[in-house]
Amino acid sequence: MSVWLRAFLFTQLVEVPIYVRTLDCSIPVAFGASAITHPVAWFGFFGPWIDADYWTRVIAAELFAWLVEAAYFAFLFRKHRALLWAFVANGASASAGFLGRALFGVP
């Protein structure tokens, strides 16, 4: 669980500022997007019941997070360009996560 928590907080550190700045939303609203998707992506797509290779799981989890977070902002908060900024935020956190893992072994 501590590995997930570290990855979750890392994701929030990357994505929240992007959402606050680009979608002009509050910190709690920005935090809510990944709070909804990250546990599902982490525990759902990477559980032992999924019969797929690592990169298939990564792509599926990232697509899930992108589309659900875009819908969260677009439909609940009427934010325009939510699809674009959810793509940017999730791409940034995934890229930063892969880079951090390659360089430092975390998150």
Side-chain angles (χ1 to χ4, degrees):
M1 185 67 104
S2 66
V3 174
W4 171 77
L5 184 58
R6 187 171 48 233
F8 175 69
L9 294 174
F10 183 87
T11 298
Q12 294 294 8
L13 286 171
V14 174
E15 292 185 11
V16 167
I18 293 171
Y19 286 139
V20 168
R21 175 89 171 142
T22 62
L23 295 178
D24 192 32
C25 62
S26 68
I27 291 172
V29 167
F31 187 88
S34 293
I36 293 167
T37 61
H38 199 276
V40 175
W42 187 275
F43 295 110
F45 286 87
F46 291 91
W49 51 85
I50 304 295
D51 185 27
D53 65 73
Y54 176 77
W55 287 108
T56 300
R57 293 173 189 225
V58 168
I59 292 167
E62 289 299 329
L63 283 172
F64 163 79
W66 168 38
L67 296 174
V68 170
E69 290 177 25
Y72 167 84
F73 287 114
F75 297 116
L76 290 180
F77 300 100
R78 302 287 185 228
K79 298 297 182 180
H80 300 290
R81 301 177 63 112
L83 195 62
L84 169 66
W85 293 114
F87 180 80
V88 170
N90 280 279
S93 65
S95 297
F98 290 131
L99 183 61
R101 180 166 293 252
L103 295 176
F104 309 112
V106 291

